[in-house]
């Protein structure tokens, strides 16, 4: 229950004694905001009175995860219309579970097959499960069903969305927002920036993941500067294309700063967004198999609303076809700087404040 967004807790159906215990424990959490605490209080009251158990029999729209569609509280329910959101990231058997369970007559699949596929965790038998990445969304497209392309985006600054549109969507995506609606949080900070980190070493850990210590230190320092100059940690996210690097940045940043920032992998950020995203590319060797995965890069480039800062070695990434296009776009817009640019920006902001 702690993972559920607090504002939707009062609308959710919980019935067990454990749910009540969890809600009471959450009310004792000092880190909760006043608003979130009120949502938890409302939810506890509704669970104790079993209000939502009765309400779910009368509402016209029910939101549920595919797996939770099997819960006993939904026994006997049927829905003529089912909308499967993020369907291009749901395995086909899981998609079919909701369809069969609720006897739907009309099915609407919503997703983006150009972003990350389902995560298959049965690594010990990967060859046996490889076809699970083929989703119901893709199957229907392969069967000839016509798709409707929603081409207007409302998240990213137009310069950021244009890059993703040119790279992955044949330049068809248009912005439903203007640059004026995505004004910079720091005046000297561009909306899109490739930060050239002249790293000379990458380290592979026993799991096969990579980290780049110099890049991790630069990003950690940039994070601290952004916070010092007025950005809220809730506005900032750090994405790494490698799990080892995200852990490394967390360790370096956490040693000197107690203000939490979401630092994670691309997979964990799919569906999420932040005002400012710092993207760590890590690699300097010639093996870019993981780094050039278009779906993963697409997700990474489209999480930022106002500022996207890409950290990497320009001279190494230019050798890769996909990343050469990204760097070329940034260079044409004059969005390429050396890593000390951020610190000069911070000093300029400080002088202006004084």
């Amino acid at each position: 229950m702690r993972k559920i967004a607090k504002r939707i807790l009062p609308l959710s159906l919980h019935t067990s004694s454990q749910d009540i215990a969890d809600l009471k424990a959450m009310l004792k959490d000092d880190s909760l905001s006043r608003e979130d605490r009120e949502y938890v209080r409302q939810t506890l009251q509704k669970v104790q009175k079993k209000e939502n158990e009765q309400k779910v029999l009368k509402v016209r729209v029910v939101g549920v995860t595919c797996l939770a569609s099997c819960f006993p509280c939904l026994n006997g329910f049927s829905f003529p219309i089912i909308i499967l959101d993020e369907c291009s990231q749901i395995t086909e058997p899981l998609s079919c579970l909701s369809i069969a369970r609720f006897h739907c007559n009309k099915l609407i699949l919503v997703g983006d097959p150009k972003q990350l596929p389902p995560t298959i965790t049965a690594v010990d038998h990967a060859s046996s499960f490889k076809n699970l990445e083929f989703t119901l969304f893709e199957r229907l497209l392969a069967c000839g069903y016509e798709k409707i392309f929603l081409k207007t985006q409302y998240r990213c600054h137009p310069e950021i969305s244009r890059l993703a549109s040119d790279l992955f969507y044949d330049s068809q995506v248009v912005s439903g927002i203007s640059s004026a609606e995505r004004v910079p949080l720091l005046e000297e900070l561009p909306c899109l920036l490739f930060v050239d980190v002249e790293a000379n070493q990458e380290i592979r850990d026993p799991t096969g993941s990579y980290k780049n210590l110099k890049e991790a230190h630069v990003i950690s320092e940039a994070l601290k500067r952004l916070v010092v100059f007025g950005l809220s940690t809730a506005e900032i996210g750090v994405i790494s294309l490698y799990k080892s690097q995200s852990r490394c940045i967390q360790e370096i940043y956490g040693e000197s700063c107690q203000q939490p920032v979401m630092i994670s992998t691309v997979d964990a950020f799919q569906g999420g967004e932040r005002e400012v995203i710092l993207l760590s590319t890590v690699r300097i060797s010639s093996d870019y198999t993981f780094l050039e995965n278009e779906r993963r890069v697409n997700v990474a480039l489209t999480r930022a609303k106002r500022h996207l800062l890409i950290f990497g070695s320009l001279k190494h990434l230019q050798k890769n076809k996909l990343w050469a296009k990204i760097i070329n776009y940034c260079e044409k817009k004059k969005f390429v700087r050396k890593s000390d640019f951020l610190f000069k920006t911070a000093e300029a902001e400080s002088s202006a404040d004084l």
Side-chain angles (χ1 to χ4, degrees):
M1 288 186 64
R2 293 178 182 274
K3 294 182 180 180
I4 299 175
K6 303 300 181 288
R7 62 188 174 84
I8 66 168
L9 267 175
L11 301 174
S12 49
L13 181 60
H14 301 285
T15 57
S16 72
S17 56
Q18 183 60 52
D19 292 330
I20 294 175
D22 289 344
L23 289 165
K24 288 181 176 178
M26 289 162 69
L27 283 175
K28 297 176 182 178
D29 186 350
D30 294 335
S31 66
L32 281 184
S33 67
R34 181 180 299 178
E35 183 181 31
D36 285 348
R37 192 178 302 279
E38 177 59 22
Y39 288 137
V40 174
R41 189 196 63 76
Q42 290 176 20
T43 307
L44 178 60
Q45 187 179 55
K46 289 186 176 186
V47 172
Q48 290 173 327
K49 293 181 178 180
K50 298 185 177 180
E51 285 183 21
N52 286 351
E53 286 186 61
Q54 300 302 316
K55 189 174 181 180
V56 77
L57 299 172
K58 302 174 183 178
V59 296
R60 301 188 66 182
V61 179
V62 174
V64 64
T65 64
C66 289
L67 195 58
S69 62
C70 288
F71 285 5
C73 60
L74 294 173
N75 285 347
F77 277 73
S78 63
F79 298 99
I81 300 174
I82 287 182
I83 302 173
L84 286 181
D85 190 25
E86 294 287 3
C87 189
S88 56
Q89 206 184 12
I90 305 172
T91 62
E92 190 170 24
L94 210 52
S95 297
C96 292
L97 190 62
S98 302
I99 298 166
R101 168 73 156 158
F102 297 127
H103 314 291
C104 76
N105 297 320
K106 296 182 185 295
L107 177 64
I108 301 172
L109 307 184
V110 184
D112 185 352
K114 292 185 179 291
Q115 294 200 354
L116 288 174
T119 301
I120 310 301
T121 56
V123 291
D124 293 336
H125 304 283
S127 60
S128 303
F129 291 96
K130 63 182 180 181
N131 289 331
L132 281 178
E133 290 191 359
F134 191 66
T135 64
L136 181 63
F137 192 100
E138 292 170 302
R139 184 177 297 281
L140 293 182
L141 289 179
C143 288
Y145 282 84
E146 189 174 347
K147 67 180 178 183
I148 298 171
F149 181 50
L150 304 179
K151 64 180 182 179
T152 306
Q153 73 86 27
Y154 297 93
R155 172 187 294 148
C156 307
H157 187 287
E159 291 288 3
I160 300 173
S161 67
R162 191 174 297 120
L163 170 60
S165 178
D166 291 347
L167 287 174
F168 309 114
Y169 299 99
D170 300 321
S171 302
Q172 295 182 58
V173 175
V174 296
S175 284
I177 53 171
S178 65
S179 299
E181 293 173 283
R182 289 290 182 264
V183 294
L185 297 178
L186 288 176
E187 189 174 341
E188 298 299 319
L189 194 62
C191 57
L192 175 62
L193 185 66
F194 185 93
V195 182
D196 183 14
V197 182
E198 296 180 353
N200 56 14
Q201 184 182 27
E202 62 185 31
I203 301 168
R204 183 177 181 178
D205 70 16
T207 69
S209 186
Y210 288 85
K211 63 182 177 182
N212 182 318
L213 290 176
K214 182 172 182 180
E215 197 171 288
H217 278 285
V218 169
I219 290 174
S220 178
E221 189 62 31
L223 261 178
K224 288 185 283 186
R225 295 295 180 105
L226 291 173
V227 171
V228 165
F229 289 96
L231 270 66
S232 162
T233 53
E235 296 175 311
I236 308 170
V238 180
I239 300 176
S240 173
L241 293 164
Y242 293 86
K243 187 177 291 185
S244 183
Q245 180 77 344
S246 64
R247 287 195 295 262
C248 183
I249 297 170
Q250 284 174 337
E251 290 168 3
I252 295 171
Y253 174 74
E255 286 176 358
S256 56
C257 188
Q258 299 302 312
Q259 295 176 285
V261 173
M262 183 173 180
I263 302 171
S264 196
T265 60
V266 179
D267 302 60
F269 257 98
Q270 174 145 309
E273 61 183 31
R274 289 291 189 277
E275 300 291 340
V276 183
I277 289 290
L278 283 63
L279 172 59
S280 176
T281 59
V282 181
R283 303 303 302 277
I284 61 172
S285 67
S286 58
D287 179 15
Y288 297 114
T289 305
F290 194 73
L291 192 64
E292 64 186 0
N293 181 300
E294 291 194 357
R295 287 183 166 194
R296 185 162 273 103
V297 175
N298 186 10
V299 173
L301 295 179
T302 53
R303 301 304 97 197
K305 296 174 70 175
R306 298 176 192 267
H307 302 280
L308 171 61
L309 283 61
I310 305 170
F311 293 78
S313 171
L314 188 145
K315 72 176 182 180
H316 290 98
L317 291 178
Q318 276 182 327
K319 299 173 185 177
N320 175 264
K321 185 177 179 180
L322 174 60
W323 283 92
K325 291 179 181 178
I326 295 171
I327 292 170
N328 184 53
Y329 180 90
C330 293
E331 286 180 329
K332 284 183 177 179
K333 301 286 185 178
K334 301 186 185 304
F335 291 154
V336 176
R337 302 284 193 280
K338 292 292 185 181
S339 57
D340 62 353
F341 164 79
L342 289 171
F343 313 132
K344 290 178 181 177
T345 298
E347 290 165 5
E349 291 284 336
S350 178
S351 300
D353 289 342
L354 293 174

